Amino acid sequence: MKEQPIGFLDSGLGGLSVVKEVKKLLPRENIEYFADNQRQPYGEKNQDELIDYTLQIISFLIKKKIKICVIACNTATAASLKKAREFFSIPIIGVIQPAVQDAIKKTSNKRIGVIATEFTTKNEAYPKEIKRIAPKIKVFSNFCPEFVSIVEAGKFTAPKTYEVAREYLKPLKDSQIDTLILGCTHYSFLKRAISDIMGSGVILVDPSVSTSLTLKEVIIQKGILKEEGKGEENYYTTGSPKKVEKTAKIILNSDNFKIQKVKLEELEQNI
Ligand code: DGL
């Protein structure tokens, strides 16, 4: 069991923000990462579609013998974490709960901002979870649709990225938040631009950090930590392996991984 890989899934490369943190904390673990690029953006899908996609991908990863799964996507977590936990017997971790706990600890003025995809924002996944734990906190949200394609193209600090970000972040700047949750794993790669625009008075909460800490805790508690050897990385995409490889190399700062194309028909047979 200890030797079995950890599974990750996202609509694309956003979940690599979680992988990067996990590699620092758990460097010996094997990784199986699924990027559903062909069906991206998840933020524009409905709940039924998102549940189907998530269950299909976890089934695929279970065939790769994963011991635990991280839904490294806020949208898929909001739509389908509950269903996935009912459906599968392996432990499944989402990104929303760890981020909320982190943000509640960090805010002093009790005003938290959340930027996320359209689905996560309209589903109110973050405000609901924050209010459940700390009802007095005020939550301000906005969705930032163009961020996902900007990140997939690797344009993290381009002038156009700043221009788009300024527009999306304006209402949040006006609402005097002191903490901002990056509620989409893609947004982690835009931290520099977001921080430049929001200013030093706003703490950015990146779910990838708190999620990887939660993952480590669960792995240790279940006695499934891989203690020896080097970690191997396998990547799968429903999109173009070439495109994924190009941006993944920049993000991971390594080319020590394999990428395979998975056809949607193969995925759809899984559920
Ligand atoms: N990275 C994803 C998230 O955390 C979804 C991006 C998308 O495909 O819309 O929500």
Side-chain angles (χ1 to χ4, degrees):
M1 183 87 172
K2 290 182 175 182
E3 296 297 312
Q4 288 172 233
I6 303 171
F8 295 85
L9 69 99
D10 183 39
S11 69
L13 298 177
L16 291 184
S17 57
V18 185
V19 168
K20 276 183 87 169
E21 292 302 319
V22 169
K23 283 174 68 174
K24 288 187 216 157
L25 284 179
L26 303 164
R28 300 190 188 284
E29 295 289 346
N30 295 318
I31 288 168
E32 300 281 311
Y33 183 96
F34 199 102
D36 195 4
N37 294 82
Q38 200 180 326
R39 297 188 289 198
Q40 197 180 56
Y42 274 13
E44 290 170 18
K45 302 289 187 291
N46 65 44
Q47 177 139 17
D48 289 344
E49 288 169 317
L50 291 164
I51 289 175
D52 278 352
Y53 300 171
T54 308
L55 299 186
Q56 288 166 6
I57 297 169
I58 299 177
S59 301
F60 175 93
L61 290 170
I62 284 177
K63 288 193 187 142
K64 305 288 171 199
K65 306 263 182 293
I66 58 166
K67 60 185 173 188
I68 188 165
C69 184
V70 181
I71 303 184
C73 171
N74 293 263
T75 312
T77 298
S80 44
L81 177 63
K82 195 164 166 270
K83 255 287 182 313
R85 283 182 171 158
E86 284 163 15
F87 211 85
F88 300 104
S89 57
I90 58 162
I92 302 178
I93 291 172
V95 281
I96 295 178
Q97 260 184 1
V100 163
Q101 272 155 6
D102 196 13
I104 290 174
K105 269 187 230 148
K106 286 185 171 142
T107 180
S108 309
N109 73 357
K110 310 261 174 274
R111 297 169 81 85
I112 296 179
V114 183
I115 47 172
T117 64
E118 184 174 351
F119 180 88
T120 308
T121 306
K122 292 192 174 158
N123 169 280
E124 295 189 4
Y126 272 98
K128 279 187 211 148
E129 186 59 18
I130 293 170
K131 298 254 176 242
R132 192 179 67 79
I133 304 174
K136 290 205 175 118
I137 288 181
K138 285 213 158 63
V139 186
F140 304 86
S141 310
N142 202 10
F143 54 94
C144 314
E146 268 191 74
F147 278 177
V148 173
S149 55
I150 286 174
V151 169
E152 292 289 330
K155 294 184 179 144
F156 309 136
T157 51
K160 174 86 181 131
T161 304
Y162 274 80
E163 200 184 299
V164 171
R166 251 182 227 112
E167 185 109 336
Y168 289 143
L169 295 171
K170 186 164 186 321
L172 293 160
K173 261 187 93 97
D174 294 343
S175 55
Q176 281 140 21
I177 52 166
D178 71 350
T179 306
L180 177 64
I181 300 177
L182 309 180
C184 167
T185 48
H186 281 80
Y187 302 176
S188 174
F189 301 113
L190 302 177
K191 249 188 226 163
R192 166 103 172 266
I194 295 169
S195 160
D196 285 347
I197 295 165
M198 294 306 292
S200 56
V202 175
I203 303 167
L204 303 187
V205 170
D206 181 349
S208 62
V209 178
S210 41
T211 303
S212 51
L213 288 168
T214 303
L215 174 69
K216 185 174 179 184
E217 265 169 38
V218 175
I219 282 186
I220 290 173
Q221 181 218 329
K222 299 213 173 279
I224 54 172
L225 178 73
K226 183 168 175 278
E227 281 155 305
E228 280 163 25
K230 252 181 80 187
E232 268 182 29
E233 293 164 54
N234 290 310
Y235 292 82
Y236 306 92
T237 178
T238 51
S240 149
K242 268 214 172 118
K243 272 197 201 156
V244 168
E245 187 176 14
K246 195 170 161 226
T247 307
K249 271 186 186 166
I250 305 173
I251 290 176
L252 296 167
N253 196 17
S254 134
D255 53 7
N256 200 15
F257 56 81
K258 292 183 208 130
I259 300 194
Q260 273 173 52
K261 163 101 180 169
V262 177
K263 290 201 175 124
L264 283 185
E265 303 86 78
E266 184 190 339
L267 208 56
E268 284 156 3
Q269 282 164 11
N270 279 306
I271 290 286

